[in-house]
Amino acid sequence: MNWENMPLLIILVLAVIGDNQSVALAALVLLLIKLLGLTAWFPSIETHGLNIGITIMTMAVLTPLAQGRISLGEMMSAFKTQSGLIAIVIGIFVSWVATQGMHFLKASPEATTALIVGTIGGVCFLHGLAVGPLIAGGFVAMIINALNSFKQ
């Protein structure tokens, strides 16, 4: 194994130590793809992986609706409670922030490495979720835009 595999190996070890199966599995699969010489898959994974992952995550969130465990009446009642209204507003805000993060990460690849390190740290040691880079990127973009507006 050469040194360029070391970052994935370190992430794998940290994920195992931090007891995070999702990150461990992701690092292991990418390491295996690399070791098996299937690197031609990387551009497709990079291009489509995020959308596929978001689609699968959305399917998981919508499954209770599909199973009939959440009714239309229960959905409508979310508009009648304080926590429901706050959840709707925060859901809209966070999805917008994540979109800003996706645009920021595409435009600022140098920040991607730092966000990945921070996300892996949060996932492995704080038992966070690996959806952090998009949201974190959105917050970084918002902060940078705010700081740039003060410079003018």
Side-chain angles (χ1 to χ4, degrees), residues 19-70:
D19 193 31
N20 191 295
Q21 294 173 354
S22 297
V23 173
L25 182 61
L28 181 62
V29 167
L30 290 172
L31 192 58
L32 285 174
I33 288 171
K34 196 168 184 183
L35 292 174
L36 293 173
L38 303 172
T39 55
W41 291 8
F42 284 155
S44 292
I45 293 169
E46 186 176 8
T47 302
H48 304 292
L50 202 56
N51 287 335
I52 292 168
I54 290 170
T55 300
I56 292 170
M57 194 176 353
T58 303
M59 288 170 58
V61 170
L62 293 176
T63 297
L65 291 170
Q67 292 176 323
R69 292 194 332 232
I70 298 175

Side-chain angles (χ1 to χ4, degrees), residues 35-123:
L35 292 174
L36 293 173
L38 303 172
T39 55
W41 291 8
F42 284 155
S44 292
I45 293 169
E46 186 176 8
T47 302
H48 304 292
L50 202 56
N51 287 335
I52 292 168
I54 290 170
T55 300
I56 292 170
M57 194 176 353
T58 303
M59 288 170 58
V61 170
L62 293 176
T63 297
L65 291 170
Q67 292 176 323
R69 292 194 332 232
I70 298 175
S71 68
L72 183 59
E74 289 171 317
M75 286 177 61
M76 297 308 289
S77 70
F79 292 98
K80 299 176 185 172
T81 66
Q82 182 180 21
S83 62
L85 289 172
I86 292 170
I88 290 168
V89 169
I90 295 299
I92 292 168
F93 176 70
V94 168
S95 69
W96 176 80
V97 169
T99 301
Q100 302 309 305
M102 196 163 65
H103 296 307
F104 174 73
L105 291 177
K106 287 180 181 178
S108 303
E110 73 282 355
T112 302
T113 303
L115 286 171
I116 288 171
V117 169
T119 298
I120 289 168
V123 167

